[in-house]
Amino acid sequence: MLRIGLTGGIGSGKSTVSTLLAARGATVVDADRIAREVLEPGTPGLDAVVAEFGGGVLTDAGALDRPALAAVVFADDAARARLDAIVHPLVRARSAELVADVPADAVVVNDVPLLVETGQAGSYDLVVVVEADPEVRVARLVTRGLTEADARARIAAQATDEQRRAVADVVLDNSGTREQLAEQVERFWEERVVPALG
Ligand code: ADP
């Protein structure tokens, strides 16, 4: 199995790259999606979050009230660390479960937005970082429905391009067109993935 860790700041184009890699046959494991799954109603994850933060982080229907939880952890690093201590191990365990059955020659792409922030670069054979100019990212995130202020706040809360580049084996530049990105993904597949598979 070739394990690829895919990361990049919000709006850089990770989902777009993982879709292109999936089209080449990679198995994509999406950490954000798993992070939602492990806190669905009825999960031990949600029970643990409620035990830690109280019933105020639930909606009337008993699901996780994400804005309420975000408000609790946003300005409180210790609270965020307690939340991470619940969620990150669950995400890692579920991710491992999802790849337990893939064939030996599979290419597994882990889309991990916070790969650098959570110190996971060492878990992969190749770390791929998607970059785009911050102003381009803001514009794309606004098109995706975020307010400009929200987009900028989220970018500022994440690792910097320099920090991500420091752990990158490959940097994909997505400041240009989708076609230019696709060409880079194609080259990456031919030059780094195919040879690594032997
Ligand atoms: P991430 O997963 O890193 O947050 P996405 O892949 O969702 O980023 O890309 C952010 C937004 O920008 C999406 O709406 C996506 O469709 C769009 N997008 C991605 N790459 C390009 C590009 N090269 N040109 C124009 N829009 C793009």
Side-chain angles (χ1 to χ4, degrees):
M1 189 200 316
L2 183 72
R3 286 179 153 275
I4 298 173
L6 173 66
T7 194
I10 182 168
S12 60
K14 291 177 299 298
S15 310
T16 308
V17 170
S18 60
T19 302
L20 291 164
L21 292 170
R24 295 302 314 244
T27 299
V28 175
V29 178
D30 179 335
D32 271 357
R33 191 173 50 76
I34 296 172
R36 286 191 296 274
E37 274 175 24
V38 299
L39 297 181
E40 273 170 9
T43 58
L46 186 56
D47 291 347
V49 168
V50 172
E52 183 67 48
F53 297 101
V57 299
L58 291 177
T59 65
D60 291 343
L64 182 62
D65 184 342
R66 288 178 187 280
L69 181 62
V72 171
V73 301
F74 182 70
D76 183 345
D77 287 346
R80 173 171 290 279
R82 295 204 304 279
L83 176 63
D84 288 349
I86 295 170
V87 177
H88 290 167
L90 293 170
V91 172
R92 276 198 289 275
R94 178 70 185 137
S95 303
E97 223 174 84
L98 287 174
V99 301
D101 297 330
V102 302
D105 62 351
V107 177
V108 174
V109 174
N110 290 264
D111 178 342
V112 186
L114 300 182
L115 185 147
V116 170
E117 291 85 343
T118 56
Q120 291 183 67
S123 313
Y124 304 101
D125 300 311
L126 284 174
V127 173
V128 176
V129 169
V130 191
E131 275 187 12
D133 181 79
E135 292 306 317
V136 171
R137 290 163 60 196
V138 169
R140 287 177 186 161
L141 289 169
V142 167
T143 307
R144 208 166 74 177
L146 268 66
T147 65
E148 184 179 334
D150 199 9
R152 289 189 191 282
R154 286 172 190 233
I155 288 173
Q158 295 186 334
T160 63
D161 283 346
E162 288 66 34
Q163 288 169 321
R164 280 186 288 261
R165 211 174 291 167
V167 302
D169 295 296
V170 175
V171 176
L172 303 175
D173 173 12
N174 188 28
S175 295
T177 64
R178 290 176 191 277
E179 290 69 29
Q180 287 168 330
L181 180 65
E183 282 165 19
Q184 293 172 73
V185 170
E186 197 62 24
R187 204 175 320 131
F188 163 69
W189 190 273
E190 295 303 333
E191 293 178 2
R192 302 300 295 266
V193 177
V194 172
L197 290 173

